[in-house]
Amino acid sequence: MNGREPAERSDRGHRSVPHTADLRVEAWAPTAQGCIGELVHAVVGSFADLSGARIVGERSCTVLGVSDPDLLAGVLEEVIYRMDAAGELPAALALGPVRGLDGARSVEVRFRMADTATVALVGAVPKAVSLQGLELGRGPGGWTCAATVDV
């Protein structure tokens, strides 16, 4: 994450960083799946308070990409799509292992979805994932990832 690691941090977490007119988030965790989950939590938490939300069910999908950063973008795009198309936001999510096959990457995602009509909006709603500055990689302290979301 470009050397901007907090001096002391837990083994997993996330934070927003200053970015002109968009939302920039960074996350870290021991695994790639945990890192992606932390980033999704950061993005959703930036604009929605899910504490009083009504859970409407579970949804699952397979996200494909040609690289780990592509998987990160794909999961975030799925969150934005489900919000726009179905009026649902992930209250929780679980990711299977990241798998590789013939140069492609995939991850199974299970969302526990909340009805957006029962969510309190607390910030700007994301519209798209920027493909610039996407990061997902393993380092000496675990996995880190970052993304910029257009709001």
Side-chain angles (χ1 to χ4, degrees):
M1 291 187 301
N2 302 327
R4 296 180 307 233
E5 303 283 331
E8 293 182 33
R9 69 174 199 185
S10 66
D11 69 339
R12 69 176 44 241
H14 59 267
R15 66 180 175 169
S16 296
V17 293
H19 195 275
T20 307
D22 292 321
L23 172 66
R24 177 79 177 167
V25 289
E26 298 176 344
W28 56 92
T31 65
Q33 303 90 306
C35 196
I36 294 170
E38 282 291 330
L39 199 79
V40 168
H41 181 70
V43 169
V44 172
S46 75
F47 72 93
D49 177 0
L50 299 172
S51 61
R54 182 174 57 88
I55 302 302
V56 293
E58 290 195 5
R59 314 287 182 253
S60 60
C61 65
T62 301
V63 176
L64 302 172
V66 296
S67 66
D68 289 338
D70 284 344
L71 286 180
L72 175 63
V75 172
L76 289 173
E77 288 169 352
E78 187 70 21
V79 169
I80 293 169
Y81 169 76
R82 288 180 186 271
M83 179 181 60
D84 289 342
E88 299 177 344
L89 280 173
L93 72 154
L95 290 94
V98 174
R99 301 190 188 283
L101 179 65
D102 296 331
R105 309 287 282 156
S106 70
V107 65
E108 298 290 325
V109 185
R110 232 180 38 249
F111 296 105
R112 185 168 182 231
M113 303 304 283
D115 181 351
T116 57
T118 64
V119 170
L121 293 180
V122 296
V125 176
K127 295 174 179 43
V129 178
S130 173
L131 299 180
Q132 297 294 327
L134 279 171
E135 301 173 28
L136 175 61
R138 184 190 329 236
W143 286 78
T144 59
C145 59
T148 301
V149 179
D150 302 329
V151 294

